[in-house]
mmCIF file of all heavy atoms in Angstrom:
data_model
loop_
_atom_site.group_PDB
_atom_site.id
_atom_site.type_symbol
_atom_site.label_atom_id
_atom_site.label_comp_id
_atom_site.label_asym_id
_atom_site.label_seq_id
_atom_site.Cartn_x
_atom_site.Cartn_y
_atom_site.Cartn_z
ATOM 1 N N ARG A 478 -29.758 11.489 1.800
ATOM 2 C CA ARG A 478 -29.745 10.601 0.538
ATOM 3 C C ARG A 478 -29.048 9.294 0.941
ATOM 4 O O ARG A 478 -28.115 9.256 1.799
ATOM 5 C CB ARG A 478 -28.943 11.289 -0.522
ATOM 6 C CG ARG A 478 -29.751 12.563 -1.094
ATOM 7 C CD ARG A 478 -28.962 13.324 -2.036
ATOM 8 N NE ARG A 478 -27.604 13.619 -1.634
ATOM 9 C CZ ARG A 478 -26.524 13.289 -2.220
ATOM 10 N NH1 ARG A 478 -26.501 12.576 -3.373
ATOM 11 N NH2 ARG A 478 -25.362 13.705 -1.747
ATOM 12 N N GLU A 479 -29.427 8.247 0.232
ATOM 13 C CA GLU A 479 -28.804 6.984 0.413
ATOM 14 C C GLU A 479 -27.306 6.974 0.227
ATOM 15 O O GLU A 479 -26.577 6.452 0.946
ATOM 16 C CB GLU A 479 -29.512 5.941 -0.408
ATOM 17 C CG GLU A 479 -28.915 4.545 -0.298
ATOM 18 C CD GLU A 479 -29.642 3.561 -1.137
ATOM 19 O OE1 GLU A 479 -29.259 3.398 -2.387
ATOM 20 O OE2 GLU A 479 -30.541 2.929 -0.711
ATOM 21 N N TYR A 480 -26.914 7.651 -0.833
ATOM 22 C CA TYR A 480 -25.509 7.674 -1.185
ATOM 23 C C TYR A 480 -24.669 8.211 0.024
ATOM 24 O O TYR A 480 -23.529 7.774 0.263
ATOM 25 C CB TYR A 480 -25.256 8.485 -2.527
ATOM 26 C CG TYR A 480 -23.748 8.563 -2.787
ATOM 27 C CD1 TYR A 480 -23.200 7.504 -3.414
ATOM 28 C CD2 TYR A 480 -23.093 9.701 -2.559
ATOM 29 C CE1 TYR A 480 -21.814 7.509 -3.878
ATOM 30 C CE2 TYR A 480 -21.767 9.837 -3.031
ATOM 31 C CZ TYR A 480 -21.123 8.716 -3.592
ATOM 32 O OH TYR A 480 -19.770 8.777 -3.840
ATOM 33 N N SER A 481 -25.238 9.313 0.618
ATOM 34 C CA SER A 481 -24.513 9.986 1.746
ATOM 35 C C SER A 481 -24.425 9.073 2.853
ATOM 36 O O SER A 481 -23.283 9.018 3.484
ATOM 37 C CB SER A 481 -25.328 11.236 2.179
ATOM 38 O OG SER A 481 -24.753 11.750 3.392
ATOM 39 N N ILE A 482 -25.322 8.172 3.082
ATOM 40 C CA ILE A 482 -25.331 7.268 4.194
ATOM 41 C C ILE A 482 -24.276 6.165 3.972
ATOM 42 O O ILE A 482 -23.445 5.779 4.749
ATOM 43 C CB ILE A 482 -26.679 6.552 4.422
ATOM 44 C CG1 ILE A 482 -27.657 7.610 4.926
ATOM 45 C CG2 ILE A 482 -26.628 5.382 5.402
ATOM 46 C CD1 ILE A 482 -29.116 7.138 4.907
ATOM 47 N N LEU A 483 -24.223 5.611 2.684
ATOM 48 C CA LEU A 483 -23.313 4.592 2.298
ATOM 49 C C LEU A 483 -21.860 5.168 2.419
ATOM 50 O O LEU A 483 -20.987 4.474 2.875
ATOM 51 C CB LEU A 483 -23.580 3.993 0.892
ATOM 52 C CG LEU A 483 -25.019 3.360 0.724
ATOM 53 C CD1 LEU A 483 -25.109 3.050 -0.696
ATOM 54 C CD2 LEU A 483 -25.055 2.143 1.579
ATOM 55 N N ALA A 484 -21.722 6.286 1.909
ATOM 56 C CA ALA A 484 -20.394 7.030 1.941
ATOM 57 C C ALA A 484 -19.860 7.236 3.390
ATOM 58 O O ALA A 484 -18.695 6.942 3.616
ATOM 59 C CB ALA A 484 -20.488 8.347 1.215
ATOM 60 N N GLU A 485 -20.745 7.624 4.268
ATOM 61 C CA GLU A 485 -20.389 7.804 5.716
ATOM 62 C C GLU A 485 -19.895 6.554 6.302
ATOM 63 O O GLU A 485 -18.882 6.410 6.985
ATOM 64 C CB GLU A 485 -21.477 8.390 6.478
ATOM 65 C CG GLU A 485 -21.050 8.597 8.016
ATOM 66 C CD GLU A 485 -22.100 9.275 8.867
ATOM 67 O OE1 GLU A 485 -23.121 9.784 8.306
ATOM 68 O OE2 GLU A 485 -21.995 9.152 10.070
ATOM 69 N N ALA A 486 -20.666 5.400 5.992
ATOM 70 C CA ALA A 486 -20.316 4.084 6.553
ATOM 71 C C ALA A 486 -18.915 3.624 6.019
ATOM 72 O O ALA A 486 -18.045 3.202 6.796
ATOM 73 C CB ALA A 486 -21.398 3.114 6.214
ATOM 74 N N ILE A 487 -18.668 3.858 4.745
ATOM 75 C CA ILE A 487 -17.411 3.382 4.183
ATOM 76 C C ILE A 487 -16.282 4.190 4.759
ATOM 77 O O ILE A 487 -15.254 3.557 5.177
ATOM 78 C CB ILE A 487 -17.519 3.539 2.671
ATOM 79 C CG1 ILE A 487 -18.460 2.555 1.997
ATOM 80 C CG2 ILE A 487 -16.059 3.466 2.033
ATOM 81 C CD1 ILE A 487 -18.828 2.762 0.527
ATOM 82 N N LEU A 488 -16.391 5.515 4.811
ATOM 83 C CA LEU A 488 -15.270 6.317 5.269
ATOM 84 C C LEU A 488 -15.078 6.209 6.803
ATOM 85 O O LEU A 488 -13.964 6.567 7.290
ATOM 86 C CB LEU A 488 -15.530 7.799 4.921
ATOM 87 C CG LEU A 488 -15.511 8.108 3.373
ATOM 88 C CD1 LEU A 488 -15.708 9.549 3.205
ATOM 89 C CD2 LEU A 488 -14.148 7.734 2.820
ATOM 90 N N SER A 489 -16.078 5.695 7.465
ATOM 91 C CA SER A 489 -15.973 5.546 8.980
ATOM 92 C C SER A 489 -14.940 4.255 9.223
ATOM 93 O O SER A 489 -14.436 4.152 10.308
ATOM 94 C CB SER A 489 -17.327 5.218 9.725
ATOM 95 O OG SER A 489 -18.055 6.347 9.598
#
Side-chain angles (χ1 to χ4, degrees):
R478 294 176 304 125
E479 180 178 83
Y480 180 76
S481 170
I482 293 168
L483 298 178
E485 180 178 345
I487 288 167
L488 293 180
S489 294

